[in-house]
């Protein structure tokens, strides 16, 4: 089928219809619209969006063309997206749709220039000059860098997203560190208003019903599209969070999603006292169980698990990935074990019914709960109640504590925060549906055959986990002097304000800046995941030096702050346009490896090692819920800092490792609090002088 488009120099558009279902179904074009995707000098890339109705199924296909090269794209968005300003029809299903743009490949010259700028506050002048020469060699015509750039651009033309698959493999599935602490983030939710097992089960029942209510929106494709700075975001991740699991391997993990099979899972996994249960959460007619039905089933599970299992099988999933991969192969030799493990992997999500932990001071409560959510407290606490490979695990403690831990290969912070906001809203006002008078089957306990070899693997995993538990140093606090409204009041980006406070806190402790990464979402692109904002810059270095210089006047300090904030904001804008440097550099390196070439010298340079040694790994996950996200440091001598800025306060979590004598989570927290207060006073000082 061929269309002629006289409004674009009569270029021919060849429609390649990718049949998503029955190829015999006739296709009827319902809408055609033209839009500009990108402009490169005199070359303009345009897109043709075609809405096709096929047996009441709606598909979107996009074709792009430029004045030099015809490009054909077929888009299959998982979700339907409504442009801003367009009303939604009844039921929330969007009537107007368009595809998201593809992630661009930044120009090589652009990336290398910004890479050299990022190195300025981190390396010596001699190291910088050496890297500058390498960058010149790497980018000259017909060099290896230019060849890799050309092939990367070719990859972008031939794939839906040139980065996503590589990122999934290199950042997650090929990483061999344990998932607990090192990879899986956790969220600490506000303490709930109960302190016994009865309240625990009642809350857990409402929580399960709330997640199923959210799942129904995904299944019916009525989930409202999300926007960032007025642009729609890719909703693809939502379909990958539920019914998915990571599968360990001796050298490389895999990822599997059971939500796409003909008969998708209809059960959740419930874990109590190290025992795993298969709980069906849908009636025979396909309707979800009511809160009362789920509550009754949870009571049954409690009665079946009153005694703690001798072998905490779940701790196996916390071990080094190679070790767990080998133990997994041993475990799966037995048919009974295979059936039980498959039931866990296929489940929609997991609910961990934890025992109460030792009471501590109110001041330390959030820090203790953060550790509990990240690793479960150790082999003698609640760690046996976890299956760290599972994408989504809700933790409900008997003492009112609750939270979430998730596996990152299929999930990210913002979608998890959206799910949590929905679930907690649901728990406050659950659907009051009368439970049908139909007897429910008893929840199935999942049994395992523990051989002496598996028992040795469990003991080994317990020892390693307890070492990791003792090594984690975590401090959570709430900064109450101001929230995100204060920087906004003074025309400063709240995120940039906090990032400059982090730079100041680190500089005061170590008298230097370090490579600092802040995770930024690329979901404004089709199948986008994340990139990095580099917060340490020449401008931030100048600010932290000026801030504590007694010879500098207030006006000079404010000017330095504004310049550093503007620099961070500009980098943020660049990253949101898909033009940040780190994923591009990764792509060039992986392109060389994929083609069997030697890794280019620029990636073996000392400066590159310094620039990618993230001693300060940070992130912001804004949520309506008064919660805080936490994760472990990315390097042994570093910090992991996560924050949730609310209107009048900011929740922080700071993590480090006790094995490193140079780092201390509590000391950094105090330095950060002081930095926030000092910058606040600096911003207010001109106003006070005027007054």
């Amino acid at each position: 089928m061929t269309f002629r488009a006289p409004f674009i120099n009569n270029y021919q558009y060849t429609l390649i219809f990718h049949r998503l279902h029955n190829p015999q179904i006739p296709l009827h074009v319902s809408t055609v619209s033209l839009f500009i995707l990108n402009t490169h000098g005199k070359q303009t890339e345009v897109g043709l969006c075609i809405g096709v109705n096929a047996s009441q199924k709606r598909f979107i296909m996009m074709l792009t063309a430029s004045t030099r090269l015809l490009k054909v794209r077929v888009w299959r968005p998982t979700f339907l997206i409504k442009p801003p300003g367009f009303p939604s029809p009844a039921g929330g299903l969007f009537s107007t749709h368009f595809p998201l743009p593809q992630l661009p490949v930044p120009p090589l010259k652009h990336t290398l220039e910004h890479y050299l700028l990022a190195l300025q506050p981190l390396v010596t002048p001699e190291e910088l000059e050496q890297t500058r020469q390498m960058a010149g060699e790497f980018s000259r015509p017909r060099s290896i860098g230019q060849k890799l750039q050309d092939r990367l651009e070719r990859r972008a033309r031939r794939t839906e997203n040139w980065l996503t698959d590589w990122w999934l493999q290199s950042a997650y599935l090929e990483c061999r560190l344990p998932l607990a602490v090192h990879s899986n983030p956790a969220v600490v939710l506000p303490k709930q208003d109960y302190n016994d097992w009865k309240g625990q089960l009642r809350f857990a029942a409402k929580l399960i019903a709330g997640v199923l209510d959210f799942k129904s929106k995904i299944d019916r494709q009525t989930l409202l599209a999300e926007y960032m700075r007025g642009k729609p975001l890719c909703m693809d991740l939502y379909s990958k969070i539920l019914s998915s699991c990571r599968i360990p391997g001796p050298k490389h993990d895999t990822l599997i999603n059971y939500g796409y099979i003909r008969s998708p899972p209809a059960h959740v996994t419930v874990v109590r006292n190290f025992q795993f249960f298969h709980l069906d959460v849908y009636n025979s007619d396909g309707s979800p169980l009511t809160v009362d039905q789920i509550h009754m089933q949870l009571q049954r599970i409690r009665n079946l698990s009153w005694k703690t299992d001798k072998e905490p099988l779940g701790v196996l999933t916390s071990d080094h990935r190679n070790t767990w991969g080998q133990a997994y192969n041993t475990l799966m030799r037995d048919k009974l074990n295979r059936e039980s493990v498959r039931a866990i992997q296929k489940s929609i999500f997991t609910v961990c019914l934890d025992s109460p932990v030792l009471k501590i001071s109110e001041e330390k409560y959030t820090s203790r709960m953060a550790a509990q959510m990240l690793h479960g407290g150790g082999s003698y606490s609640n760690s046996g109640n976890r299956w760290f490979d599972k994408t989504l695990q809700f933790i409900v403690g008997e003492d009112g504590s609750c939270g979430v831990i998730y596996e990152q290969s299929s999930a990210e912070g913002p979608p998890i925060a959206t799910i949590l906001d929905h679930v907690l809203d649901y728990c406050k006002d659950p659907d009051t549906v009368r439970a049908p008078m139909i007897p429910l089957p008893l929840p199935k306990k999942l049994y395992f055959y523990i051989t002496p070899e598996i028992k040795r693997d469990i003991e080994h995993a317990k020892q390693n986990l307890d070492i990791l538990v003792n090594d984690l140093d975590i401090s959570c606090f709430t900064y109450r002097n101001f929230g995100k409204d204060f920087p906004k009041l003074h025309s400063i980006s709240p995120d940039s304000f906090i990032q400059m406070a982090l730079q100041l806190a680190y500089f005061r402790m170590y008298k230097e800046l370090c490579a600092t990464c802040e995770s930024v979402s690329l979901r404004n692109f089709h199948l986008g995941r994340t990139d990095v904002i580099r917060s340490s810059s020449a401008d931030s270095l100048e600010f932290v030096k000026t801030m504590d210089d007694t010879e500098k006047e207030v006006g000079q300090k404010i000017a330095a702050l504004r310049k550093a904030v503007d620099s961070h904001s500009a980098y943020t804008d660049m990253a949101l346009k898909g033009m940040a440097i780190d994923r591009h550099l990764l792509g060039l390196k992986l392109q060389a490896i994929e083609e069997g070439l030697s890794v280019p010298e620029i990636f073996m340079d000392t400066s590159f090692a310094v620039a990618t040694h993230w001693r300060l790994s940070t992130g912001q996950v804004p949520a309506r819920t008064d919660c805080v996200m936490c994760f472990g440091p990315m390097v042994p001598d570093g910090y992991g800092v996560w924050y949730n800025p609310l209107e009048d306060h900011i929740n922080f979590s700071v993590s480090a490792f006790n094995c490193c004598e140079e780092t201390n989570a509590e000391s950094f927290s105090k330095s950060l609090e002081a930095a926030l207060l000092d910058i606040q006073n600096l911003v207010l000082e001109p106003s006070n002088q005027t007054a």
Side-chain angles (χ1 to χ4, degrees), residues 428-616:
K428 295 174 185 176
D429 186 23
D431 290 342
T432 53
V433 180
R434 185 174 180 179
M437 302 298 292
I438 302 173
L440 295 172
L442 195 68
K444 304 171 191 173
K445 181 176 177 179
L446 303 178
Y447 291 93
F448 297 90
Y449 176 56
I450 306 297
T451 64
E453 187 176 2
I454 295 172
K455 184 176 174 62
R456 285 194 299 270
D457 290 335
I458 292 174
E459 289 302 315
H460 181 76
K462 286 165 63 176
Q463 293 173 11
N464 289 340
L465 176 63
D466 290 340
I467 292 172
L468 181 60
V469 166
N470 291 327
D471 194 25
L472 180 66
D473 175 24
I474 191 162
S475 171
C476 297
F477 69 95
T478 299
Y479 186 79
R480 298 193 179 279
N481 283 4
F482 62 83
K484 62 183 179 182
D485 285 350
F486 172 76
K488 288 181 180 179
L489 187 65
H490 295 273
S491 302
I492 300 175
S493 160
D495 185 58
S496 298
F497 189 102
I498 295 170
Q499 285 292 326
M500 290 309 106
L502 287 166
Q503 296 294 295
L504 181 59
Y506 189 92
F507 184 80
R508 284 174 169 175
M509 289 184 67
Y510 299 101
K511 309 308 177 188
E512 64 179 4
L513 293 188
C514 66
T516 306
C517 67
E518 179 189 1
S519 180
V520 61
S521 175
L522 292 179
R523 288 174 58 214
N524 51 320
F525 298 101
H526 180 55
L527 301 181
R529 293 294 300 262
T530 63
D531 206 327
V532 165
I533 300 170
R534 287 184 169 267
S535 301
S536 51
S537 64
D539 291 329
S540 63
L541 179 60
E542 180 63 26
F543 160 65
V544 297
K545 287 181 176 179
T546 303
M547 185 67 185
D548 291 338
D549 189 342
T550 55
E551 296 183 1
K552 300 291 184 181
E553 297 180 357
V554 171
Q556 293 174 295
K557 294 181 179 182
I558 290 180
L561 171 63
R562 292 281 183 183
K563 189 175 181 181
V565 164
D566 290 345
S567 177
H568 179 269
S569 297
Y571 202 109
T572 302
D573 292 340
M574 185 175 75
L576 290 174
K577 294 175 182 176
M579 302 298 284
I581 66 173
D582 284 277
R583 299 298 184 261
H584 185 204
L585 291 172
L586 174 67
L588 294 167
K589 182 180 178 181
L590 292 178
Q591 186 69 49
I593 294 172
E594 188 173 280
E595 296 187 19
L597 303 175
S598 299
V599 176
E601 187 181 10
I602 194 170
F603 300 118
M604 309 299 289
D605 183 30
T606 302
S607 296
F608 187 77
V610 172
T612 54
H613 187 76
W614 305 112
R615 293 194 67 185
L616 201 51

Side-chain angles (χ1 to χ4, degrees), residues 7 33 188 254 269 295 352 379 396 416 533 545 574 596 673 676:
F7 42 81
S33 57
V188 182
T254 54
T269 302
H295 182 234
C352 312
S379 62
V396 182
I416 295 296
I533 300 170
K545 287 181 176 179
M574 185 175 75
E673 285 189 86
L676 287 164

Side-chain angles (χ1 to χ4, degrees), residues 171-177 179 183-184 244-248 253-256 321 324 328 345 387-391 407-410:
Y172 303 123
L173 301 183
E174 293 176 0
C175 181
R176 302 287 83 197
L177 290 173
L179 295 186
S183 181
N184 288 6
S244 62
C245 193
R246 183 163 165 172
I247 311 297
D253 291 357
T254 54
L255 189 63
I256 190 165
R321 299 309 291 175
W324 167 219
Y328 179 83
Q345 293 170 342
W387 195 268
F388 288 101
D389 295 352
K390 193 64 187 159
T391 302
E407 201 282 307
Q408 284 195 94
S409 58
S410 295

Side-chain angles (χ1 to χ4, degrees), residues 102-210:
Q102 282 187 293
L103 180 68
V105 177
L108 183 60
K109 182 180 178 182
H110 162 92
T111 292
L112 293 177
E113 286 177 351
H114 283 85
Y115 173 54
L116 293 172
L117 289 174
L119 289 176
Q120 287 182 10
L122 305 177
V123 300
T124 65
E126 294 77 19
E127 290 171 331
L128 181 61
E129 182 56 34
Q130 180 180 345
T131 305
R132 194 185 307 277
Q133 293 176 10
M134 288 184 184
E137 286 292 315
F138 189 68
S139 61
R140 62 181 173 78
R142 294 185 295 278
S143 66
I144 182 62
Q146 195 58 58
K147 290 178 182 177
L148 293 175
Q149 175 74 6
D150 293 342
R151 289 165 187 170
L152 198 59
E153 291 173 355
R154 182 176 63 183
R155 175 185 172 90
R157 292 192 294 269
R158 295 180 176 181
T159 58
E160 291 184 287
N161 186 302
W162 66 265
L163 172 64
T164 298
D165 289 342
W166 270 347
W167 180 245
L168 175 65
Q169 298 296 327
S170 63
Y172 303 123
L173 301 183
E174 293 176 0
C175 181
R176 302 287 83 197
L177 290 173
L179 295 186
V181 177
H182 292 286
S183 181
N184 288 6
V187 182
V188 182
L189 297 173
K191 190 176 187 297
Q192 299 302 305
D193 189 21
Y194 65 82
N195 55 11
D196 58 14
W197 67 266
K198 295 179 180 178
Q200 176 192 33
L201 298 189
R202 192 68 194 173
F203 178 78
K206 291 188 285 187
L207 183 147
I208 292 172

